[in-house]
Amino acid sequence: MLRDAVRSLAEAKIAPYAAAVDEEARFPQEALDALVANDLHAVHVPEEYGGAGADALATVIVIEEVARVCVSSSLIPAVNKLGSLPVILSGSEDLKKKYLAPLAKGDGLFSYCLSEPEAGSDAAGMRTRAVRDGDHWILNGVKRWITNAGVSEYYTVMAVTDPEKRSKGISAFVVEKSDAGVSFGAPEKKLGVKGSPTREVYFDNVRIPADRMIGAEGTGFATAMKTLDHTRITIAAQALGVAQGAFDYAKGYVQERKQFGKPIADFQGIQFMLADMAMKIEAARQLTYAAAAKSERGDSDLTFQGAAAKCFASDVAMEVTTDAVQLLGGYGYTRDYPVERMMRDAKITQIYEGTNQVQRIVMARNLP
Ligand SMILES: Cc1cc2nc3c(=O)[nH]c(=O)nc-3n(C[C@H](O)[C@H](O)[C@H](O)COP(=O)(O)OP(=O)(O)OC[C@H]3O[C@@H](n4cnc5c(N)ncnc54)[C@H](O)[C@@H]3O)c2cc1C
């Protein structure tokens, strides 16, 4: 029922704008409005904080169905989970009440600030600094590649509180867009997910109350990594969605397109491609849903499974969307058809929340 409801909404209210959002590289406001109106913009927020209380699998299905028509729009529910999960996992009751309620209502989106210009895969090498000043912390530094920067009201920011301790000297904070000293860089000009704003976030002597720290001092990096164990599954969901969208489109196209006097779907070479695409999508779906169940239960092998799902599903998304372009021939290569956008959008799922090389490092360190 959830899938049917999200699919109908996505097709009616999000899909019609997906091409324009990409072409104009603009924020998908129509998608945000539709998601908020239907309580689907941050479904993971627990009911006690005014949220829909969706479990990890239901959240995956929402993201998957939105990504099937527009990957940029699927970053709204996905990054709301990414940004706020540190608060849910490690925040005080006061922080949860203060920030989850407006997120659930749609009054403010949440972003996640881990990466920096010089610290991507090696996130623990970050330089953003937080220094204690009485009842406050003062933040200085630059975060890079921050999804929904400028649009979001709230930012989970990882910063160094003790430079001697490397990852154990990193703490997490909630910073608000309106805090004095917060500003944003120009939107990045990207290959795909062009509707999702990606900007630098600057912290220039940003003074925030000490109770905005998420969890204890020095636990920020652990919280950031624990968050990714859960949210990599949402990237797998995006990958799965875009692969399904490209497959569905290509499957319809090959039945219409005629060459050599018959639909190209009649050629075994085409049928074998579609069979392989469907097989890979289904394998990615099973791995992703199993990982979502592990996320919900907090199973001990979640780290391996989340990385495996993200890595596998994103590789499948790249293969399937590339094959979808191939199945449409020259038409697939043009912006008159959606599959080239899907192929460009799929690429990011192999890169963010840890590149697929990093996922392999994570899996190798956590072999079953
Ligand atoms: C559109 C977009 C949105 C993003 N959104 C966010 C966000 O909201 N919040 C956030 O914090 N970050 C975000 N990111 C950042 C993203 O997570 C990083 O780009 C990613 O982790 C890779 O870091 P990097 O770009 O510095 O690449 P690098 O770390 O410089 O990696 C370059 C290459 O080296 C490889 N590599 C690095 N180390 C190793 C190793 N040990 N072994 C093998 N290969 C290695 C990588 O896999 C990659 O192929 C976003 C990025 C993009 C492009």
Side-chain angles (χ1 to χ4, degrees), residues 29-300:
Q29 188 62 43
E30 299 89 349
L32 176 64
D33 293 345
L35 291 169
V36 169
N38 291 277
D39 212 3
L40 292 168
H41 61 291
V43 278
H44 68 286
V45 177
E47 283 174 9
E48 54 193 302
Y49 305 106
D55 66 18
L57 180 57
T59 305
V60 155
I61 289 170
V62 170
I63 294 167
E64 177 189 346
E65 288 300 325
V66 176
R68 184 174 159 273
V69 302
C70 178
V71 183
S72 290
S73 300
S74 75
L75 275 159
I76 294 169
V79 173
N80 276 338
K81 180 164 181 177
L82 174 67
S84 63
L85 200 59
V87 175
I88 294 172
L89 291 174
S90 309
S92 66
E93 201 49 40
D94 283 351
L95 272 189
K96 289 182 191 173
K97 283 195 186 118
K98 183 167 178 195
Y99 291 108
L100 298 178
L103 171 65
K105 262 197 255 165
D107 289 345
L109 308 187
F110 238 108
S111 287
Y112 177 88
C113 304
L114 179 67
S115 307
E116 297 187 0
E118 305 301 328
S121 300
D122 181 16
M126 68 177 64
R127 295 184 195 161
T128 295
R129 191 81 167 87
V131 176
R132 182 105 194 192
D133 179 28
D135 288 343
H136 288 76
W137 287 91
I138 298 175
L139 272 67
N140 278 288
V142 179
K143 292 291 176 181
R144 194 173 172 94
W145 313 115
I146 306 308
T147 299
N148 290 340
V151 176
S152 290
E153 284 299 320
Y154 311 118
Y155 298 79
T156 288
V157 179
M158 271 51 77
V160 176
T161 43
D162 185 344
E164 303 293 305
K165 294 190 181 158
R166 205 169 141 86
S167 67
K168 296 213 165 65
I170 291 170
S171 305
F173 301 88
V174 179
V175 175
E176 300 184 14
K177 181 176 163 179
S178 56
D179 288 328
V182 174
S183 61
F184 305 98
E188 304 290 347
K189 296 173 184 155
K190 308 190 298 286
L191 173 74
V193 287
K194 293 187 181 196
S196 173
T198 315
R199 299 169 70 175
E200 285 191 326
V201 184
Y202 307 118
F203 306 96
D204 182 12
N205 284 319
V206 177
R207 191 179 159 81
I208 57 169
D211 61 11
R212 295 249 210 106
M213 185 182 273
I214 303 170
E217 190 176 335
T219 62
F221 194 74
T223 297
M225 293 303 114
K226 202 167 156 200
T227 297
L228 295 178
D229 281 346
H230 294 275
T231 58
R232 280 177 178 143
I233 301 161
T234 69
I235 305 305
Q238 281 190 315
L240 186 55
V242 71
Q244 186 71 54
F247 172 81
D248 290 348
Y249 196 89
K251 187 177 153 209
Y253 182 89
V254 297
Q255 284 155 21
E256 300 294 321
R257 175 70 175 167
K258 289 199 174 109
Q259 290 291 282
F260 303 97
K262 48 175 140 168
I264 58 172
D266 286 359
F267 299 119
Q268 196 175 46
I270 300 279
Q271 293 166 5
F272 280 7
M273 278 180 77
L274 285 161
D276 277 347
M277 291 158 79
M279 172 180 71
K280 289 175 191 169
I281 291 170
E282 199 48 37
R285 178 169 289 117
Q286 298 301 331
L287 198 54
T288 303
Y289 290 5
K294 286 181 186 293
S295 158
E296 192 58 31
R297 291 191 300 260
D299 286 0
S300 58

